[in-house]
Amino acid sequence: MATYGKGTYTVSAKDIVQSWYIIDAEDIVLGRLASNVARVLKGKHRPDYSPHLDLGDRVVVINAAKIKLTGKKIDQKMYFRHTQYPGGGRFTSLSSLMETNPSKVIEFAVQGMLPKGKLGRALCLKLRVYDGADHPHVGQNPEPLPRH
């Protein structure tokens, strides 16, 4: 802990302790899940939050294939990527992505809610998403993530 001036508190690297959280995505709306996960990854749930530091915790999401979608998103939502060649724009529908790789849907939703740049890319690395209920992070003893 470092203090400067009249009580200004700045977190140092040795004071940061990261926890592991787990959340079961079964029957949770995608946007609500993503905003809750992004909040924990960024560290906004901590009293010593700083927007420019990586204070967040690690999050494991299980049962990504059983997520709930509202409205007509399953039919209308499209994901865009580009091959970097002329005319190389590619669209993927949410329904086809849910069939092939449902964990990517959650990763894209959380990534869109994190800051853009070097810090956001570092925060994305602390997210682990699995399609089923099994995950290899039992040794880290993840705590259940409280719903908000």
Side-chain angles (χ1 to χ4, degrees):
M1 176 173 91
T3 56
Y4 302 102
K6 296 184 177 187
T8 303
Y9 172 73
T10 303
V11 179
S12 63
K14 65 179 184 247
D15 295 334
I16 299 172
V17 178
Q18 290 185 346
S19 303
W20 282 76
Y21 289 103
I22 188 168
I23 187 164
D24 187 359
E26 187 173 356
D27 293 331
I28 299 179
V29 177
L30 175 63
R32 293 178 187 272
L33 171 74
S35 62
N36 199 7
V37 169
R39 182 181 58 84
V40 173
L41 286 175
K42 195 167 179 195
K44 285 190 151 188
H45 64 291
R46 298 169 56 121
D48 56 353
Y49 168 72
S50 258
H52 65 285
L53 294 176
D54 182 2
L55 296 174
D57 296 321
R58 297 181 180 270
V59 178
V60 178
V61 180
I62 58 173
N63 289 325
K66 299 177 182 177
I67 196 143
K68 186 176 174 185
L69 298 164
T70 59
K72 298 180 181 179
K73 288 183 198 72
I74 195 76
D75 301 322
Q76 296 178 349
K77 185 166 177 61
M78 302 294 275
Y79 293 98
F80 176 79
R81 67 180 180 87
H82 202 280
T83 64
Q84 300 303 316
Y85 286 98
R90 301 289 185 258
F91 289 94
T92 307
S93 68
L94 177 63
S95 59
S96 67
L97 196 59
M98 284 295 288
E99 291 172 6
T100 58
N101 197 353
S103 61
K104 282 287 183 192
V105 174
I106 295 177
E107 289 174 7
F108 288 150
V110 172
Q111 183 179 0
M113 295 184 183
L114 291 174
K116 312 308 181 249
K118 187 187 284 190
L119 179 62
R121 288 188 293 275
L123 295 175
C124 284
L125 295 176
K126 299 190 303 182
L127 174 65
R128 303 282 191 260
V129 184
Y130 299 99
D131 299 340
D134 297 330
H135 63 90
H137 305 288
V138 178
Q140 283 76 26
N141 297 324
E143 305 169 14
L145 185 68
R147 286 187 175 182
H148 285 89

